[in-house]
């Protein structure tokens, strides 16, 4: 298959690109190497992809509608996996307009360009944040728009545009709601990578409520879920991709203390915009796609700590 990954230089996109190349797909990437975190890290991620096989890298901003449409018309992609976005909950509180641009307008550009150029399948990387603060385990149908942050609102809005353009152009649409993804090459602004960097530097880590829990999902399981979704046959579906096993932050800290017994943990108050718990119901993905997460949290954390120590060195 000739597959385009938008945001392919990022954490999930680069891991996915490596796996798709290993499975002999033709892979192209569009990424503008945004400064949401170190550009050098994204360059390194691209180098990792290139080591696996040939990949076409197109460096431009998907916010440019004309360029995006022209690009899609020049290339005939079978499937588009749209992961380009500005992620992160807390920064969205201070810069909401950037999220409207990067998470909504960019998605509209990609959807229109895909539809106009006759792409047959679009997969959209959405987020557990669209559920707001609901008691889990959450099923796909219970997202009700009552979200907690501008990031989540942008993702929920982008999902609606996906439905609109699916209806207008008739491509096959799969919306995948990822639950807190972690693992080697994890996004540096997220809790586990951030904690590991601080712990390796001997700095204190700050947590904003020990009783919060997150449905941490290992990167390989997410990549596997995306793979399986490529073979999904229905016209329009939404799937949770999570582990289905939430971990309390106090348990995360306890496990980290096994590796960093001298860790200095500073308790802070809960932050507006965050949700208290995430917990996925993954029965639909299991049944329809055969998605079964394989990496338990303790093993995933062990691999992540090992990677972080080597990377830090
Ligand atoms: N990592 C998670 O835990 C998680 C959870 C839920 C949803 N998601 C979603 O999954 C997707 C990938 O997340 P990630 O963690 O890999 O993030 P990431 O920041 O590592 O990757 C996103 C990539 O998109 C690129 N990009 C952003 N705006 C662009 C634009 N206008 N033009 C071209 N490229 C652009 C960035 O340069 C970056 O390389 C995002 O849509 C995110 O919202 C991630």
């Amino acid at each position: 298959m000739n597959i385009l990954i938008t945001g392919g230089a990022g954490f999930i996109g680069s891991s996915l690109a490596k796996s798709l190349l290993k499975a002999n797909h033709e892979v192209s990437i569009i990424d503008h190497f945004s400064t949401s975190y170190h550009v050098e890290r994204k360059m390194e991620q691209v180098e990792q992809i290139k080591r696996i096989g040939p990949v076409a890298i197109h460096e431009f901003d998907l916010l440019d509608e004309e360029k995006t449409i022209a690009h899609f018309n020049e290339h005939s992609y079978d499937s588009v996996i749209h992961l380009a976005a500005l992620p992160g909950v807390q920064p969205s509180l201070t810069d909401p307009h950037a999220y409207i641009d990067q998470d909504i307008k960019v998605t509209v550009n990609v959807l229109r360009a895909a539809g106009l150029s006759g792409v047959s399948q679009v997969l959209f990387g959405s987020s557990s944040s669209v559920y707001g603060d609901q008691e889990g385990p959450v099923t796909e149908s219970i997202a009700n728009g009552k979200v907690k942050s501008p990031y989540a609102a942008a993702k929920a809005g982008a999902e609606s545009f996906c439905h609109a353009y699916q209806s207008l152009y008739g491509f096959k649409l799969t919306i995948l709601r990822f639950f807190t993804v972690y693992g080697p090459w994890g996004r540096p602004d997220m809790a586990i990578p951030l904690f590991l960097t601080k712990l390796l530097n001997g700095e204190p880590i700050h947590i904003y409520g020990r009783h919060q829990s997150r449905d941490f999902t290992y990167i390989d399981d997410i990549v596997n879920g995306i793979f399986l979704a490529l073979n999904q046959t229905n016209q329009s579906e939404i799937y949770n991709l999570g582990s289905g096993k939430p971990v309390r932050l106090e348990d995360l800290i306890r496990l980290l203390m096994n590796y960093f017994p001298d860790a200095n943990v500073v308790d802070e108050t809960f932050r507006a915009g965050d949700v208290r718990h995430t917990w996925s119901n993954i029965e639909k993905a299991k049944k329809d796609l055969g998605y079964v997460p394989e990496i338990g949290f303790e093993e995933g954390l062990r691999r992540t700590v090992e990677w972080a120590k080597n990377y830090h060195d």
Side-chain angles (χ1 to χ4, degrees):
M1 248 198 273
N2 184 2
I3 300 174
L4 170 70
I5 308 174
T6 71
F11 166 41
I12 299 174
S14 58
S15 297
L16 175 65
K18 287 186 273 184
S19 293
L20 289 171
L21 285 172
K22 283 181 194 157
N24 294 321
H25 288 290
E26 216 175 301
V27 179
S28 300
I29 282 172
I30 299 176
D31 202 299
H32 75 149
F33 297 88
S34 73
T35 52
S36 56
Y37 56 88
H38 287 133
V39 172
E40 291 73 26
R41 167 62 85 84
K42 292 177 186 173
M43 297 289 189
E44 278 180 88
Q45 286 164 176
V46 166
E47 286 311 311
Q48 299 287 323
I49 304 171
K50 286 182 179 165
R51 271 182 219 153
I52 307 291
V55 56
I57 314 276
H58 306 279
E59 188 177 342
F60 69 90
D61 188 348
L62 289 158
L63 197 52
D64 184 332
E65 182 184 23
E66 216 174 298
K67 215 174 207 171
T68 303
I69 290 175
H71 176 91
F72 275 69
N73 284 334
E74 279 161 27
H75 299 79
S76 46
Y77 297 119
D78 300 314
S79 296
V80 173
I81 304 172
H82 177 44
L83 301 176
L86 179 56
V89 167
Q90 287 302 318
S92 78
L93 274 60
T94 48
D95 194 5
H97 295 289
Y99 286 76
I100 294 168
D101 284 345
Q102 299 301 328
D103 293 6
I104 297 183
K105 287 188 185 171
V106 159
T107 301
V108 170
N109 289 349
V110 168
L111 292 165
R112 286 194 69 216
L116 290 168
S117 64
V119 167
S120 56
Q121 179 181 41
V122 175
L123 284 80
F124 174 60
S126 189
S127 160
S128 59
S129 64
V130 301
Y131 291 109
D133 221 350
Q134 301 201 51
E135 291 295 315
V138 289
T139 52
E140 287 80 356
S141 59
I142 69 163
N144 59 14
K146 293 186 180 172
V147 295
K148 306 292 279 186
S149 68
Y151 166 68
K155 281 294 187 190
E159 282 196 7
S160 284
F161 279 102
C162 285
H163 293 301
Y165 285 106
Q166 189 284 324
S167 155
L168 291 168
Y169 293 116
F171 49 67
K172 200 167 69 178
L173 169 70
T174 312
I175 292 175
L176 299 169
R177 293 180 179 151
F178 306 144
F179 283 68
T180 321
V181 191
Y182 75 102
W185 300 98
R187 218 176 66 224
D189 58 296
M190 293 183 69
I192 292 178
L194 198 63
F195 288 171
L196 289 175
T197 304
K198 290 199 180 290
L199 291 167
L200 287 163
N201 288 330
E203 295 168 17
I205 58 175
H206 297 254
I207 61 165
Y208 300 86
R210 282 176 185 255
H211 298 298
Q212 287 191 60
S213 58
R214 291 291 177 271
D215 193 317
F216 290 110
T217 311
Y218 194 69
I219 181 66
D220 293 10
D221 287 324
I222 291 291
V223 167
N224 185 40
I226 301 173
F227 245 88
L228 293 166
L230 278 169
N231 297 321
Q232 198 273 111
T233 50
N234 295 337
Q235 264 318 91
S236 174
E237 289 291 353
I238 302 176
Y239 293 105
N240 287 337
L241 291 185
S243 67
K245 293 182 179 149
V247 176
R248 278 178 179 254
L249 294 195
E250 63 190 355
D251 291 326
L252 166 63
I253 297 298
R254 183 178 50 75
L255 290 169
L256 284 173
M257 297 287 266
N258 294 335
Y259 301 97
F260 303 94
D262 300 329
N264 178 4
V265 182
V266 181
D267 284 288
E268 308 276 4
T269 52
F270 182 77
R271 295 181 298 189
D274 286 345
V275 296
R276 290 181 194 276
H277 305 287
T278 61
W279 184 359
S280 63
N281 177 320
I282 51 174
E283 289 309 312
K284 187 177 173 201
K286 269 188 186 165
K287 187 170 151 282
D288 290 8
L289 307 177
Y291 167 74
V292 181
E294 286 181 353
I295 310 298
F297 188 64
E298 291 194 23
E299 171 59 15
L301 190 65
R302 187 193 67 72
R303 293 185 194 186
T304 309
V305 171
E306 194 175 286
W307 176 85
K309 282 184 173 168
N310 289 333
Y311 186 77
H312 194 261
D313 285 346

